[in-house]
Amino acid sequence: MSSISDTFWAGRRVLVTGHSGFKGRWLTRWLEALGAEVTGFSRASGGDVRDAEGVRSVLRRAHPEVVFHLAGQSTVQSGLADPAATYAVNVVGTANVLQAVRESDDVRVVVGVTSDKCYLDQGLERGYREEDRLGGFDPYSASKACQELVIAAMRDSLLAPRGVAVASARAGNVIGGGDWTPGRLVPDLIRAALAGEPLRLRAPDAVRPWQHVLNPLQGYLLLAERLWEDRSFATAWNFGPEQSDSHPVGWVVERLRSRWPGELDIVAGDRAAVPEAAVPRVDSTRAHTRLGWNPPWDLAAAIDATAEWYLADRDGRDVSLEQIERFSAR
């Protein structure tokens, strides 16, 4: 198993778009713990990837050497509620970031984070591979497929000739402390538990490939390190859990329930007409073999760490850093 390099990141100038989001906060804390000089850009800090000049401005100010592009609209439900904004943020926002990179003399590596939902649902029993067809039956999924096309086109025609190595990273169904996104299973469960209210479970039998947020983040960091030295890594990458960690929603709820002090009431909710793949699973063989990516936490460990985070009577940043240290030591 490959490990993250302390020396590579020490003093490295890094821009993280979407740094105030769930994944972005964890990645920013990890990078800072590694000694990187991190600049964040998100709506929480007054930035918006739909604002091309605002994106250019932060690159001119921060002079990043590595860019992690995580900013985006992140749920199927939000995409259905506001499809135009979803395309604007995920597709146009990505083009704005890559155009600003094109105009920069500093950036050498870009990792654009999309989603496992970028694949067209073809009902495959095997996991989707990086060369499989892209697409989507809902605005969010389709926007992620479009985002992949933007990354590939701008990489091959505009950025590779400038010596910038660009890759895309596809992962989904991550859990972990600090996620409060409405419509996601764990945040909804935690909110209900803290409020003493029952959780309305929409699809308890739906199977999803769950993993802790640190698993794919480890992959993103390893990928950026390889891209720095070898442009053959400038392609698409899946970062998904093993098949053994694909479990029904109800299984995950019961596991969390067993680790929560007190009652967690679950009631059956109406099944919303949300078009999603039954089992959107990806094949991560490329990451395993070429990056040496074999994250240490299985789903049981992920759920334990998630419960620990929400139950901790300490600052969330401190708990996150402790878990990053424990994860990295495995």
Side-chain angles (χ1 to χ4, degrees), residues 261-274:
E263 292 296 320
L264 288 178
D265 294 328
I266 310 297
V267 297
D270 296 330
R271 287 180 177 264
V274 178

Side-chain angles (χ1 to χ4, degrees), residues 181-245:
T181 308
R184 286 183 180 165
L185 175 64
V186 172
D188 286 350
L189 179 61
I190 298 300
R191 269 191 296 269
L194 294 175
E197 298 174 350
L199 171 70
R200 300 189 68 83
L201 205 56
R202 178 170 55 89
D205 298 328
V207 177
R208 295 290 181 260
W210 313 92
Q211 62 179 329
H212 194 272
V213 64
L214 290 178
N215 284 3
L217 293 185
Q218 181 193 55
Y220 305 166
L221 291 167
L222 287 171
L223 177 56
E225 292 178 18
R226 302 299 187 276
L227 286 166
W228 188 268
E229 298 295 341
D230 188 345
R231 292 182 198 165
S232 73
F233 286 83
T235 185
W237 299 83
N238 288 334
F239 296 100
E242 298 297 330
Q243 172 64 11
S244 59
D245 279 336

Side-chain angles (χ1 to χ4, degrees), residues 58-81:
V58 74
L59 265 81
R60 288 195 295 262
R61 184 173 68 252
H63 301 284
E65 301 164 280
V66 177
V67 174
F68 289 99
H69 175 45
L70 281 74
Q73 194 280 98
S74 60
T75 66
V76 171
Q77 290 84 352
S78 295
L80 293 169

Side-chain angles (χ1 to χ4, degrees), residues 14-77:
V14 181
L15 172 67
V16 179
T17 72
H19 75 294
S20 61
F22 172 44
K23 275 188 179 178
R25 284 195 306 273
W26 278 95
L27 179 59
T28 297
R29 288 166 180 170
W30 200 342
L31 285 164
E32 289 174 342
L34 291 166
E37 298 176 8
V38 183
T39 299
F41 183 84
S42 69
R43 275 185 277 184
S45 61
D48 190 329
V49 291
R50 293 173 294 184
D51 175 12
E53 182 52 39
V55 176
R56 291 192 190 97
S57 177
V58 74
L59 265 81
R60 288 195 295 262
R61 184 173 68 252
H63 301 284
E65 301 164 280
V66 177
V67 174
F68 289 99
H69 175 45
L70 281 74
Q73 194 280 98
S74 60
T75 66
V76 171
Q77 290 84 352

